[in-house]
Amino acid sequence: MWCIKNNKILQLFSGGKDSFLSACKLIENNNIVFLITYDNGCSLFSNNVEHGANRLITKYGEEQVKFLGVYNISGVWRNFFLPFFKFYTKIPNILSS
């Protein structure tokens, strides 16, 4: 979580129990919570995220909870991970020669 200003919090939100309950706690402590989700392309959870965000908005109101959306970062993930993975798989060959 990142404090934007006084009582405004930016929270990474997966839609799971942990992020849902931590959002509840933050809201109940008089914070305005901005929920954001990054989708790395490895799971099918966007429906859970939207459902959880809508539950929070319904319970606490649009003034206390803002859902910023789900942002796809799968290209960024692949650009970082795949080159690293290719390098890592060559390490045993380097060590054995």
Side-chain angles (χ1 to χ4, degrees), residues 13-16 36-37 45-54 67 69-70:
F13 186 70
S14 69
I36 190 166
T37 301
F45 65 90
S46 62
N47 289 339
N48 289 342
V49 170
E50 292 178 27
H51 178 71
N54 287 332
F67 181 52
V70 178

Side-chain angles (χ1 to χ4, degrees), residues 31-81:
N31 293 296
I32 299 169
V33 177
F34 294 82
L35 306 172
I36 190 166
T37 301
Y38 293 104
D39 178 5
N40 65 9
C42 294
S43 62
L44 303 170
F45 65 90
S46 62
N47 289 339
N48 289 342
V49 170
E50 292 178 27
H51 178 71
N54 287 332
R55 285 178 58 199
L56 289 167
I57 292 167
T58 299
K59 180 172 176 69
Y60 295 106
E62 292 180 358
E63 298 301 316
Q64 289 298 117
V65 184
K66 314 278 188 206
F67 181 52
L68 302 178
V70 178
Y71 295 88
N72 186 331
I73 60 165
S74 60
V76 172
W77 178 251
R78 277 189 293 256
N79 288 338
F80 168 76
F81 181 72

